[in-house]
Amino acid sequence: MAISANGTKLENLVNPEVLADIISAELPNAITLAPLAKVGTRLQGVAGDTLKMPKFGYIGDAKDVAEGEDIEISKMSTTTTEVQVKKAGKGIEITDEAVLSGYGDPVGEGKNQLKMAIANKIDNDLFEAVRTGATLTATGAMTVAGLLTAKAKYGEDVDQPAVAVMSANNYVKIANEIVSLENTDRVLLNGVVGKVAGLQVKVSGKVDDSTVLILADGALGIELKRGVQVESDRDIIAKLTVITADEHYVAYLKDESKAIKYTIA
């Protein structure tokens, strides 16, 4: 049966500007590590694809202090790190039949899929920034004692709230020693399963069994060079609509003193 001229077609349901606004608004909440990152838009309107961003250096480990002796004072250092602006993009196709069938919400599902595709790419870059850029490192067994030793790399800031991001296999090794968060604890990341050694625990498939990443608030930086851009185009032969979304961004290790890479021996 022919489609009525007055019937709802896909091009009537796709508004790229509305989709762009929705995805832009929801994107930060979809990025797993975003709560530990400073998210900014300072790059908007700034020319160039290689930019210099501020980066805080580590003051060094604390040292033994004998009675009556002075505590060593270290000057906080601020350097710059060159970061490359990236473009993450993804596209989908939706046929008229998918809309006319009345089964589900293909446009809404497409919006969610595009949002998650971009969020996961930014997340992957944040994890990689920690793995390759962390200067606070420790090596040991996957035990509570080992995590405590790694956490000690924070020095005088050892009591700052932080989260240990680990694989499911490593989580199993210490699961019996994990306790529930207290009412006074501020949850650092969505999905934390409790805490151990003073660290909140987050299980992630983006960390393998050889590493645990310990992160405090402010360790990471995300700069969005512009809002998410959504475009659509019509294929009049196949009677489908192509929708693409892309984001220009920078994801980097902002503060080395807040990130620890613990390698499992």
Side-chain angles (χ1 to χ4, degrees):
M1 181 177 67
I3 298 174
S4 168
N6 296 323
T8 300
K9 296 182 180 179
L10 187 53
E11 63 265 33
N12 303 130
L13 300 178
V14 176
N15 186 324
E17 292 183 0
V18 172
L19 285 177
D21 289 343
I22 294 174
I23 294 176
S24 292
E26 295 179 354
L27 185 62
N29 292 330
I31 301 171
T32 303
L33 296 181
L36 300 176
K38 302 298 183 183
V39 182
T41 56
R42 289 178 298 170
L43 302 185
Q44 292 186 6
V46 178
D49 62 355
T50 302
L51 303 166
K52 290 185 177 181
M53 302 297 294
K55 184 178 182 181
F56 295 99
Y58 178 49
I59 60 174
D61 292 353
K63 298 180 179 179
D64 293 334
V65 181
E67 181 180 355
E69 292 189 0
D70 293 337
I71 294 176
E72 181 184 56
I73 304 299
S74 298
K75 184 178 181 181
M76 287 284 292
S77 62
T78 304
T79 58
T80 58
T81 181
E82 286 194 347
V83 291
Q84 189 79 23
V85 177
K86 293 185 176 183
K87 179 175 70 174
K90 193 70 173 177
I92 58 172
E93 291 180 345
I94 305 177
T95 64
D96 287 349
E97 287 80 1
V99 176
L100 292 167
S101 69
Y103 184 77
D105 177 14
V107 176
E109 178 63 21
K111 180 265 294 180
N112 289 331
Q113 294 274 352
L114 292 172
K115 175 188 67 180
M116 293 311 302
I118 294 175
N120 279 325
K121 178 61 172 68
I122 297 176
D123 237 3
N124 292 339
D125 287 353
L126 289 173
F127 276 102
E128 187 63 18
V130 177
R131 276 191 288 263
T132 59
T135 56
L136 297 182
T137 60
T139 302
M142 187 56 215
T143 62
V144 174
L147 291 175
L148 278 170
T149 300
K151 183 186 173 187
K153 291 293 181 177
Y154 279 141
E156 294 180 352
D157 295 324
V158 68
D159 289 333
Q160 68 181 316
V163 58
V165 186
M166 64 185 67
S167 69
N169 287 334
N170 282 332
Y171 160 73
V172 169
K173 294 178 181 179
I174 59 170
N176 291 335
E177 299 179 79
I178 293 176
V179 298
S180 300
L181 297 183
E182 299 175 5
N183 293 334
T184 56
D185 291 327
R186 177 172 68 91
V187 178
L188 297 177
L189 289 178
N190 292 331
V192 296
V193 296
K195 64 180 181 180
V196 68
L199 296 166
Q200 295 184 22
V201 176
K202 166 72 175 178
V203 178
S204 173
K206 297 185 179 182
V207 180
D208 62 27
D209 296 343
S210 67
T211 307
V212 174
L213 303 180
I214 301 174
L215 303 169
D217 189 20
L220 306 167
I222 302 172
E223 292 290 335
L224 305 177
K225 195 167 175 62
R226 70 175 187 193
V228 175
Q229 182 173 341
V230 176
E231 296 182 277
S232 65
D233 195 18
R234 185 71 179 162
D235 184 337
I236 62 173
I237 298 176
K239 295 300 181 181
L240 55 82
T241 298
V242 178
I243 307 171
T244 63
D246 66 88
E247 171 69 277
H248 292 248
Y249 69 96
V250 168
Y252 66 108
L253 179 59
K254 183 179 179 66
D255 191 338
E256 292 179 358
S257 71
K258 294 181 179 295
I260 300 169
K261 180 181 177 181
Y262 183 47
T263 301
I264 309 303

